[in-house]
Amino acid sequence: MIEYILENFRYEDGNLYRTVKRGNQKIGTKAGWLTECNGRPYWKVGVNKKTMYVHHVIYLIHHGQLPKYIDHIDGNSTNNRIENLRAATQSQNAGNSIMSKNNTSGYKGVTFRKDTKKWKAAVMVNRKHISLGSYLTKEEAYAAYVAGSQKYFGEFARAEKA
């Protein structure tokens, strides 16, 4: 697969360009298409009759191997510059994810518990829910989330508020 990629694409500034004519796509044209996956935009490209994420192809070109997960450091799923891509575990990748569109607290990792009338902070690590405590204010819960995120995700921690 790597041989095919190296023969058919070149990398430049976060994009792939064709080095071989394919169908109606000429040499030098930008390769791939923008699609949505899990509610986020991603670039994909056809590689030897298979569909691949462009960020996977770019990582493979530069590192010669493909980790199970690749993290976009800045959280922008369409920024495929090699300096924005790093190998990650699923947990690290989730730790660096952006705040969900469904978030109602305005703070990543913070939810309101109607039964206790308190704000709860939590992280998900290796598919396990880890509670970081319950608090009277969402700001206190967010501070706990920030500390917990740093503890569990280190350089992959992304703490956001709306």
Side-chain angles (χ1 to χ4, degrees):
M1 176 175 35
I2 185 71
E3 297 83 17
Y4 179 90
I5 289 169
L6 292 173
E7 289 172 11
N8 286 271
F9 303 101
R10 76 177 161 78
Y11 167 82
E12 184 180 320
D13 294 328
N15 297 298
L16 293 176
Y17 295 91
R18 295 222 170 266
T19 57
V20 175
K21 185 179 185 312
R22 181 175 176 229
N24 63 354
Q25 298 174 346
K26 298 176 183 172
I27 294 173
T29 59
K30 186 176 175 181
W33 62 92
L34 193 61
T35 187
E36 194 171 295
C37 184
N38 297 324
R40 311 241 2 245
Y42 285 94
W43 282 95
K44 290 188 177 181
V45 67
V47 176
N48 205 13
K49 300 181 182 176
K50 292 182 179 179
T51 299
M52 291 183 70
Y53 288 104
V54 166
H55 62 280
H56 287 189
V57 175
I58 290 170
Y59 195 93
L60 189 57
I61 288 171
H62 284 83
H63 297 287
Q65 52 94 19
L66 193 57
K68 191 165 183 180
Y69 297 95
I70 298 173
D71 181 53
H72 288 82
I73 296 168
D74 68 0
N76 178 351
S77 59
T78 61
N79 179 0
N80 293 320
R81 294 177 184 275
I82 190 60
E83 53 275 357
N84 190 48
L85 305 176
R86 61 184 168 188
T89 65
Q90 182 183 25
S91 189
Q92 289 169 326
N93 201 13
N96 189 37
S97 66
I98 62 172
M99 187 167 50
S100 168
K101 289 186 275 187
N102 300 327
N103 183 298
T104 57
S105 72
Y107 294 90
K108 184 177 177 188
V110 175
T111 55
F112 185 71
R113 297 274 313 260
K114 290 180 183 177
D115 59 336
T116 62
K117 297 189 178 9
K118 289 188 178 180
W119 295 93
K120 181 180 176 183
V123 293
M124 188 74 80
V125 178
N126 297 324
R127 299 183 182 197
K128 292 181 182 168
H129 180 89
I130 298 175
S131 175
L132 301 170
S134 294
Y135 302 88
L136 294 176
T137 69
K138 59 184 169 181
E139 292 78 15
E140 290 173 312
Y142 178 65
Y145 172 79
V146 169
S149 184
Q150 280 294 319
K151 174 183 175 183
Y152 290 104
F153 304 124
E155 68 179 286
F156 289 84
R158 175 181 296 275
E160 285 185 326
K161 55 184 172 179

